[in-house]
Amino acid sequence: MDDRPGYTTFSSLERQSTVAPPGFNRFLVPPAALAVHLSIGQVYAFSTFTLPLTRVIGITHRAPADWDLKEIGWVFSIAIAILGLSAAVFGRWVERAGPRKSMFTAALCFGGGFIVSAFGIHLHQLWLLYLGYGVLGGCGLGIGYISPVSTLIKWFPDRPGMATGIAIMGFGGGALIAAPLSVLLMAHFKTAASNGVLETFVTMGVIYFMFMMIGVYAAREPAADWKPAGWIAPAQPKRLVTTADVAVDTAWRTPQFWLLWVVLCMNVTAGIGVLGQASPMIQEIFTGRVPPAAAAGFVGLISLFDMAGRFFWATASDYIGRRNTYMVFFLLGILLYSTIPTIGQLGSIPLFVAAFCVILSMYGGGFAAIPAYLRDIFGNHQVAAIHGRLLTAWSVAGVLGPLLVNHIRQYQIDHGVPRAQAHSFTMYIMCGLLLIGFLCNYAMRPVDEKYHYRGGTQS
Amino acid sequence: MKARLIILWVAVGAPMVWGVIKTLEDALKLFH
């Protein structure tokens, strides 16, 4: 079995081939995870394709035979739904297959999804877009998202939050790369006969496959008895950090799993709703003072804080503890959301921007600290698989958040509330959601010993 | 090992830095 660099043969994809030799530098592993997450994070920038995909035939305008916005909107929705579903379904396989094989599969699915979609654009068959980017790409998203989790936790038992935070920061950063890259590529490929979206899909499929292969190439598992030099596991572990393991099929029967599920769901719902409405929200609250270009800048800025928060809060959780970190998210979140209406009335744009930057940093932090929280509660054994199942909370929040924010805003406007004040009630609803999250996090206790994994047939 | 470490971090870090700079350019419009 050849495991020399560059010899990524099929046999070297197996878990046993990825065990690192003695003296291997563990800081080679985070870039592998980052390569995968930076790629799949592209999904957050899918909206850059929305308009061009409605002008495939008309090129400069929408022809009657072109797809409409609603039809294209489903591509993104399918991809996100399949992300949660595939992470939940393939989690155990990812644990068995190891990081390299699962990253390779994710690269094939995600890159392949673009190519199948390009065929769909070429043949003008919408179902190929749903199948390609939606289903195949969605599987790449789900498998890719959880593939480096348990490997990173094994390499960094002393700093699991920081390690998984680096990877999940990549998912936030993926959109920051993909949005300008898509615009550049479409402009480059644009001709009189094409708006460039087909060629961009093919190019991005190839680029992302190759970039994810950096992760496949660099991924290594530590030897079973490996420990960081000089690190000794604490003799007296903290109350909410277990030394036992819980298997995935047992984990989701415990109250702790569902408490964490609600914690993640509430944190994501509160953030994702305002993230989707950030541009109209700032324009409506500060009527006439924030032009659309500046509002786009606001969206970019809070996306940056979302990304930075993933690293910052996940790293902080290694020092202050996972439960305390989420306590900060919920309490500070309630405080900030409840002051937004007052800030709006005061007319202070800098204060408004600062508040949302902190809120969105905690939204990202919620995603990034959850794998380490799962490790603390359920142990290392099948943490990626458990993480996969917990991501269904993201799928639910992805529907619930925008639905709540859009519906409440529209209801307020329909009932005569001025647009500038239509968001105030939404902020108080967000406080309510965060309070539910706070209570669930407060109720977190160690898993009962009867659920502990004692070896056997489960793998 | 050290060279490999630097190459890997630069390979994945460079696109991220590019994306951050591009986003910051847009974000600055908010304060103009």
Side-chain angles (χ1 to χ4, degrees):
Chain A
M1 222 173 290
D2 204 333
D3 197 29
R4 282 173 292 168
Y7 284 76
T8 309
T9 59
F10 284 108
S11 59
S12 68
L13 295 175
E14 298 298 334
R15 179 186 275 277
Q16 58 271 28
S17 305
T18 64
V19 177
F24 183 84
N25 188 334
R26 62 177 174 161
F27 283 93
L28 283 163
V29 183
L34 206 47
V36 172
H37 272 247
L38 278 172
S39 302
I40 60 176
Q42 180 279 337
V43 69
Y44 274 156
F46 183 79
S47 60
T48 51
F49 294 127
T50 310
L51 219 53
L53 282 170
T54 61
R55 294 172 182 178
V56 173
I57 295 170
I59 314 288
T60 53
H61 61 282
R62 192 178 162 260
D66 264 320
W67 298 316
D68 64 32
L69 277 175
K70 206 172 170 185
E71 288 173 320
I72 296 303
W74 276 105
V75 180
F76 176 78
S77 301
I78 293 171
I80 293 293
I82 298 289
L83 183 161
L85 207 64
S86 60
V89 170
F90 296 116
R92 285 183 65 172
W93 175 80
V94 167
E95 290 283 6
R96 273 199 312 274
R100 205 179 261 180
K101 201 180 213 177
S102 49
M103 284 179 184
F104 181 68
T105 308
L108 276 180
C109 290
F110 193 64
F114 271 102
I115 305 297
V116 172
S117 298
F119 270 112
I121 298 167
H122 179 65
L123 301 170
H124 207 66
Q125 294 291 323
L126 189 60
W127 69 272
L128 276 174
L129 247 80
Y130 292 157
L131 180 73
Y133 194 91
V135 178
L136 199 57
C139 285
L141 292 173
I143 296 170
Y145 196 92
I146 59 171
S147 60
V149 167
S150 62
T151 305
L152 283 167
I153 287 175
K154 282 179 205 160
W155 275 114
F156 292 87
D158 49 342
R159 278 177 283 177
M162 183 207 73
T164 53
I166 291 173
I168 293 170
M169 175 185 72
F171 198 82
L176 306 186
I177 301 170
L181 180 66
S182 318
V183 173
L184 275 177
L185 286 173
M186 283 189 286
H188 175 75
F189 289 120
K190 193 173 180 179
T191 62
S194 163
N195 65 359
V197 69
L198 187 152
E199 296 84 348
T200 301
F201 263 62
V202 175
T203 311
M204 288 184 95
V206 173
I207 289 175
Y208 280 125
F209 175 78
M210 287 167 66
F211 200 66
M212 288 171 87
M213 287 305 285
I214 296 176
V216 175
Y217 157 82
R220 292 286 189 285
E221 287 254 291
D225 57 347
W226 182 87
K227 280 185 179 65
W231 181 75
I232 301 156
Q236 191 78 43
K238 292 173 189 161
R239 199 172 74 91
L240 276 177
V241 181
T242 185
T243 51
D245 286 312
V246 180
V248 61
D249 288 335
T250 312
W252 78 329
R253 294 196 196 106
T254 63
Q256 283 79 1
F257 177 88
W258 294 105
L259 287 173
L260 278 177
W261 194 96
V262 177
V263 162
L264 182 66
C265 189
M266 293 301 111
N267 194 57
V268 177
T269 304
I272 209 166
V274 291
L275 193 59
Q277 280 294 322
S279 174
M281 192 183 288
I282 193 169
Q283 290 180 74
E284 286 176 356
I285 291 179
F286 302 101
T287 315
R289 292 176 60 196
V290 182
F298 172 62
V299 176
L301 194 66
I302 58 175
S303 304
L304 270 179
F305 273 83
D306 166 18
M307 186 186 98
R310 290 168 191 245
F311 178 72
F312 173 79
W313 289 110
T315 306
S317 75
D318 287 336
Y319 298 95
I320 63 172
R322 245 61 75 176
R323 192 165 79 144
N324 290 342
T325 306
Y326 281 85
M327 287 296 190
V328 173
F329 292 165
F330 294 126
L331 290 177
L332 191 55
I334 290 170
L335 182 76
L336 289 170
Y337 271 118
S338 61
T339 52
I340 294 285
T342 314
I343 293 173
Q345 280 166 9
L346 287 173
S348 172
I349 296 176
L351 267 181
F352 181 88
V353 172
F356 270 103
C357 284
V358 178
I359 286 172
L360 264 294
S361 82
M362 297 191 295
Y363 162 76
F367 276 116
I370 210 76
Y373 205 166
L374 289 169
R375 196 289 308 245
D376 289 354
I377 300 294
F378 299 110
N380 275 345
H381 179 52
Q382 290 186 326
V383 67
I386 300 169
H387 186 209
R389 294 199 184 175
L390 198 82
L391 289 182
T392 50
W394 181 6
S395 303
V396 172
V399 178
L400 194 65
L403 202 73
L404 267 176
V405 171
N406 297 343
H407 186 76
I408 294 168
R409 173 184 165 273
Q410 200 53 50
Y411 182 85
Q412 299 273 305
I413 291 170
D414 292 348
H415 285 76
V417 177
R419 280 178 184 268
Q421 290 158 29
H423 298 281
S424 300
F425 189 62
T426 311
M427 299 303 142
Y428 298 129
I429 295 287
M430 295 299 146
C431 290
L433 295 177
L434 292 175
L435 184 66
I436 296 170
F438 173 84
L439 293 174
C440 289
N441 189 49
Y442 184 75
M444 187 58 65
R445 299 286 181 272
V447 173
D448 194 302
E449 277 185 28
K450 70 179 178 188
Y451 294 115
H452 288 176
Y453 177 67
R454 294 173 220 288
T457 52
Q458 291 188 72
S459 59
Chain B
M1 185 73 84
K2 207 170 232 177
R4 210 167 128 200
L5 187 75
I6 293 166
I7 290 167
L8 256 178
W9 274 104
V10 169
V12 297
M16 199 165 78
V17 171
W18 178 75
V20 168
I21 291 169
K22 283 274 177 195
T23 309
L24 272 176
E25 281 173 2
D26 281 343
L28 283 175
K29 289 175 191 158
L30 181 64
F31 302 103
H32 283 165

